[in-house]
Amino acid sequence: MYDLLIKNGTVVDGTGAPRFQADVAVKDGKIARIAPEIAEEAETVIDARGLVVAPGFIDTHTHSDGTVFSPETTGYNHLEDGATTELAGQCGSMAAPYYGEFDPSHGISKEEYERICESYTSYFAYVDSIPHGANLAFFAGQGPIRGKVMGFGDGTPNEEQLEQMRSLMREAMECGCLGFSTGLVYTPSVFAGTHELVEIARVAHEYGGVYTTHIRGEGNQLKESIEEALVIGRESGIPVNISHIKVIGRQNEGNSRDIIRYIEDNQKAGMTITADQYPFTGGSAPLI
């Protein structure tokens, strides 16, 4: 007997193959059989006639690293949209390591927040201990890395400070992070120079990580900002992803063609560079 039988659905399996009609049987949390018709019994049977049956989607850009503190925001809304995995810690932000920033809307005290987010180790231990609707994976936000070492202010890190940043990046990767992210228009990431980012990227690359970036400018400085991301990739060897790639400002309309061509030219030259984009026409950001 199967645990779950989904009958009469239109299967889109994610391989790029054409959709097809089939039944899908599940046993012990895994797909046990896919066939035009499955007659065996199951504890639960779902009639998916007129519906699509597909693998869970991966939401490649979320900011759910703070929602884990609030019982009312447990990520089940993502499941309702079909997303079973979220990639959080984007745009250079993350709850850990704590460096003085605190959002009271998280629903816990500052003292408790500071204790949980003292380090990547303590934060991930907490995340592992609570229920969440979707699977969560994280990038280490570069903002807290810089903030932990240098606070909210500007300035160029010396070698001792750079080594502290490298050490934090190592801890993040050893805790399971996918790489690191930047939000180069947000404090304190905005104060980071390219060399500082290259040094962090070298550590992430040692562990097979990826660099994903909300670049320094998405308007008049778009190409220069993308080039900075590529310099970080070239000098460290790390794969680069441009987050929510877009062109801001009416005066820049049409530049997207040149930017896409520029990225494709660098791909052909051997760089591993990708970009993601949200499926809506408006955007927003916090006041900075």
Side-chain angles (χ1 to χ4, degrees):
M1 175 182 286
Y2 296 116
D3 299 328
L4 173 65
L5 180 59
I6 305 171
K7 295 187 66 66
N8 307 313
T10 299
V11 176
V12 179
D13 65 9
T15 66
R19 61 183 62 195
F20 57 95
Q21 298 295 124
D23 295 349
V24 179
V26 177
K27 181 71 174 177
D28 297 329
K30 296 182 179 180
I31 294 174
R33 188 183 174 198
I34 301 175
E37 183 175 358
I38 298 175
E40 289 93 333
E41 294 184 352
E43 290 186 14
T44 302
V45 178
I46 297 175
D47 186 355
R49 192 181 308 274
L51 303 175
V52 170
V53 182
F57 302 145
I58 299 173
D59 189 334
T60 61
H61 188 109
T62 80
H63 292 272
S64 293
D65 29 309
T67 66
V68 298
F69 303 110
S70 304
E72 67 276 11
T73 54
T74 51
Y76 286 92
N77 57 311
H78 288 268
L79 294 180
E80 291 175 351
D81 283 334
T84 56
T85 298
E86 302 178 54
L87 308 188
Q90 302 284 349
C91 298
S93 65
M94 191 180 178
Y98 176 77
Y99 65 103
E101 188 178 53
F102 172 68
D103 183 349
S105 69
H106 289 327
I108 61 173
S109 68
K110 183 178 180 180
E111 292 72 23
E112 184 72 357
Y113 182 86
E114 184 174 355
R115 181 188 65 79
I116 292 169
C117 299
E118 178 183 4
S119 66
Y120 293 108
T121 302
S122 59
Y123 175 73
F124 285 122
Y126 172 80
V127 173
D128 284 341
S129 73
I130 61 170
H132 200 271
N135 299 307
L136 282 171
F138 294 86
F139 287 91
Q142 176 267 338
I145 290 175
R146 180 183 169 92
K148 186 77 171 179
V149 176
M150 301 188 69
F152 290 94
D154 60 2
T156 301
N158 57 34
E159 180 55 34
E160 180 181 352
Q161 291 168 323
L162 277 176
E163 183 52 38
Q164 292 177 48
M165 294 182 190
R166 296 186 195 104
S167 179
L168 288 168
M169 190 70 247
R170 290 188 192 98
E171 181 191 0
M173 296 304 293
E174 290 176 4
C175 284
C177 281
L178 303 175
F180 80 108
S181 72
T182 54
L184 297 175
V185 297
Y186 304 125
T187 305
S189 293
V190 67
F191 300 122
T194 305
H195 174 68
E196 175 182 332
L197 301 176
V198 168
E199 290 304 300
I200 296 172
R202 291 188 198 280
V203 175
H205 180 51
E206 290 174 9
Y207 290 84
V210 173
Y211 172 49
T212 186
T213 175
H214 178 137
I215 54 178
R216 211 174 286 274
E218 298 172 321
N220 296 337
Q221 296 80 36
L222 178 60
K223 186 171 181 179
E224 295 85 349
S225 299
I226 289 179
E227 176 57 28
E228 180 185 31
L230 299 190
V231 168
I232 293 166
R234 292 189 196 106
E235 293 192 11
S236 67
I238 199 168
V240 175
N241 179 68
I242 309 298
S243 294
H244 44 62
I245 190 169
K246 57 183 173 291
V247 178
I248 293 177
R250 290 187 180 277
Q251 72 276 16
N252 295 311
E253 285 185 7
N255 288 351
S256 56
R257 289 186 294 269
D258 295 335
I259 292 304
I260 291 170
R261 188 179 305 113
Y262 182 59
I263 289 174
E264 289 175 341
D265 287 345
N266 279 275
Q267 289 172 330
K268 292 174 184 176
M271 277 207 72
T272 301
I273 174 172
T274 56
D276 60 55
Q277 187 179 65
Y278 43 60
F280 37 86
T281 56
S284 68
L287 294 175
I288 55 174

